Amino acid sequence: SRAVVEAPQLRSAAPEGVNVRSLRDALENEPELLEGKLDLAGAPEHFAALNTALFNDGLWIDVPSGVTVEAPVEIAHALGTPGVAYPRVLVTLGESAQLTLIETYEVAGDDHLTNSVVEVDLGAKAVMNHVRIHENAGLQVGRVDVRQAADSRYQSTVITLGGALLRFDVRCLLQGKGAECQLDGAYLVEGDDHVDHHTLVEHEAPHCQSQQTYRGIASGKGTAVFDGVVVVHRDAQKTEAHQENRNLLLSEHATIHTKPHLEIDADDVVCSHGATVGALDEDQMFYLRARGIPENLAHSMLTFAFLESIIDRIGHGATRTRMRDSLLARIPHGDEIGDVT
C-alpha cells in the first residue's frame, strides 16, 4: 500500500484567538519555536516513532496566554484511498488559556491504516476539553501525550464505535502542583472487531488529581481491551487518583480483557481502581418488562443507557447529539429508543 501524507484538516476556519500553523512550515523556517514540544513525553516508541519518522506535515494549534476560545476547534481525519496516513497534531496552550478540541477519525474499510500522534502542552492554569471520535471499519493506531503544568486541567472523552483493529493510547504527565486530568471513554465492539484502549497517568507533583471512567460493550465475536495505569511518584504526595472500567458482554463469543492497576511510591495518597465484566442487570430488565416493554426493546434500552452516560459528558451539544445518534444507529430498535428519549 502507498503512504498517504495529507495533513489533518480543520472542519471550518479557526476560531478567533487560535493560531493554526503548518508543522512543516514551522520546522523548516522557525524550528526553535518547537524545541521541547515535539515528542514531549520522551523518545517515542513503536508506532509513535514511526509517525515521527514519516509524517510529512501536521497542524500546530496554539492558544496564547489568557485567551478563552469559545467555539470548538474541529479536526477531520479522513483517508479516502487505500494506504497509510500519519496525522500529527500539536496543541499548545499558554497560561490560563482555554480550548475545546474535537477530533473525528473516519475510515472507509480495513485496507486503510491511520497511525496518529497528538501532543498537548498545557501551561499553568490552562484548561482543555478533548473529544476524540473513532467511527470506522479500518485499522487504526493512535496516541495522545499530554504534559500539564501547575493547576492545569485536561478532560478527555473518547468514543469508539467500531474498528476492525484499533489501538489507542493516552498518556498524561501531571508535572505541576495541583494539575488535574479526567479521562472518560465509551466503546462498542461488534462482529470480529478488536479494540484496545490504554491509559497512563503519571503523578509527578503533589496535590494532583486524576479520574478515569471507561465503559464498554462487546457482542458477536468482538474483543475489547482496557489497560489503565496510574503511577504515583515519590514526590507526589497528597495525590488523589481513581480508575473505573465497567463492561457488558452481550454474546458468549465476545471477549473483554480489563486491567486497571496502580503503582504507588508515595504514602500520603487516596487511590482506587476497579473493573467489572457482566451481563445486563436482571432487576432492571424486570422493571422494564413489568411496564409492558418487550424484552428485545428493553435489552436495547439498557445497552444504550450504559454508554449514553459517557456520551453525555461531551460538552459540545452538536457533537453530543451526533454521537448519540450514531450509537442509536448501531443498536437494535435504536429508532424506537430515539423516539422515547
Side-chain angles (χ1 to χ4, degrees):
S1 60
R2 68 183 183 88
V4 180
V5 294
E6 298 173 355
Q9 300 295 317
L10 295 182
R11 285 190 180 272
S12 59
E16 184 177 354
V18 178
N19 300 317
V20 178
R21 184 173 179 180
S22 160
L23 271 178
R24 183 176 185 176
D25 175 70
L27 287 168
E28 290 179 349
N29 299 300
E30 297 178 282
E32 67 278 2
L33 297 179
L34 295 174
E35 186 173 350
K37 292 183 170 61
L38 293 178
D39 294 328
L40 55 82
E45 299 179 350
H46 311 305
F47 282 93
L50 190 63
N51 180 288
T52 296
L54 297 179
F55 85 91
N56 184 64
D57 199 358
L59 288 179
W60 177 13
I61 301 170
D62 178 64
V63 183
S65 297
V67 174
T68 297
V69 183
E70 299 294 343
V73 172
E74 299 187 57
I75 301 177
H77 303 268
L79 191 58
T81 56
V84 185
Y86 300 97
R88 187 84 175 212
V89 178
L90 171 65
V91 183
T92 53
L93 271 63
E95 182 176 351
S96 299
Q98 297 187 31
L99 175 71
T100 295
L101 175 65
I102 300 172
E103 291 187 278
T104 301
Y105 290 80
E106 299 175 348
V107 180
D110 58 10
D111 52 358
H112 303 71
L113 171 63
T114 302
N115 176 14
S116 64
V117 172
V118 178
E119 297 178 286
V120 178
D121 192 8
L122 300 182
K125 300 181 182 179
V127 177
M128 179 170 166
N129 292 321
H130 187 185
V131 180
R132 182 171 172 126
I133 297 165
H134 306 128
E135 193 172 11
N136 61 70
L139 310 175
Q140 189 170 148
V141 179
R143 181 181 178 96
V144 174
D145 286 307
V146 185
R147 182 171 60 190
Q148 297 186 235
D151 297 314
S152 63
R153 177 173 174 78
Y154 175 76
Q155 180 172 351
S156 166
T157 307
V158 179
I159 309 297
T160 301
L161 301 178
L165 179 63
L166 180 143
R167 164 71 185 254
F168 175 64
D169 291 64
V170 55
R171 179 181 181 185
C172 292
L173 306 177
L174 279 60
Q175 297 182 335
K177 180 180 178 180
E180 300 179 15
C181 75
Q182 180 174 337
L183 308 180
D184 299 324
Y187 44 93
L188 178 65
V189 185
E190 305 170 295
D192 295 317
D193 288 355
H194 182 111
V195 168
D196 273 70
H197 289 86
H198 295 248
T199 67
L200 172 60
V201 177
E202 294 202 47
H203 288 258
E204 300 180 0
H207 295 276
C208 293
Q209 298 183 26
S210 66
Q211 177 75 47
Q212 301 181 51
T213 305
Y214 273 69
R215 290 193 170 199
I217 296 175
S219 63
K221 297 181 180 179
T223 301
V225 177
F226 173 79
D227 189 309
V229 183
V230 171
V231 179
V232 182
H233 292 267
R234 181 167 300 180
D235 294 332
Q237 303 294 343
K238 303 294 183 181
T239 284
E240 183 172 351
H242 304 284
Q243 292 176 297
E244 177 186 286
N245 178 227
R246 299 189 182 279
N247 300 277
L248 288 179
L249 274 175
L250 301 184
S251 165
E252 63 180 13
H253 301 294
T255 304
I256 290 178
H257 303 280
T258 176
K259 190 178 73 170
H261 54 289
L262 307 168
E263 299 177 14
I264 301 173
D265 198 23
D267 53 16
D268 189 2
V269 302
V270 177
C271 297
S272 68
H273 63 115
T276 61
V277 179
L280 291 172
D281 188 281
E282 293 184 1
D283 290 338
Q284 293 177 346
M285 283 290 292
F286 177 80
Y287 178 88
L288 294 177
R289 294 296 311 281
R291 280 149 182 79
I293 298 175
E295 182 177 357
N296 289 341
L297 179 56
H299 186 282
S300 295
M301 290 176 68
L302 293 177
T303 301
F304 172 70
F306 185 75
L307 295 186
E308 186 190 25
S309 61
I310 299 296
I311 291 175
D312 283 344
R313 300 185 183 191
I314 299 174
H316 185 239
T319 302
R320 184 172 61 250
T321 298
R322 180 163 64 90
M323 286 297 93
R324 186 177 180 275
D325 291 343
S326 293
L327 178 59
L328 287 171
R330 286 169 166 78
I331 293 178
H333 305 287
D335 52 345
E336 297 176 64
I337 299 173
D339 291 337
V340 300
T341 58

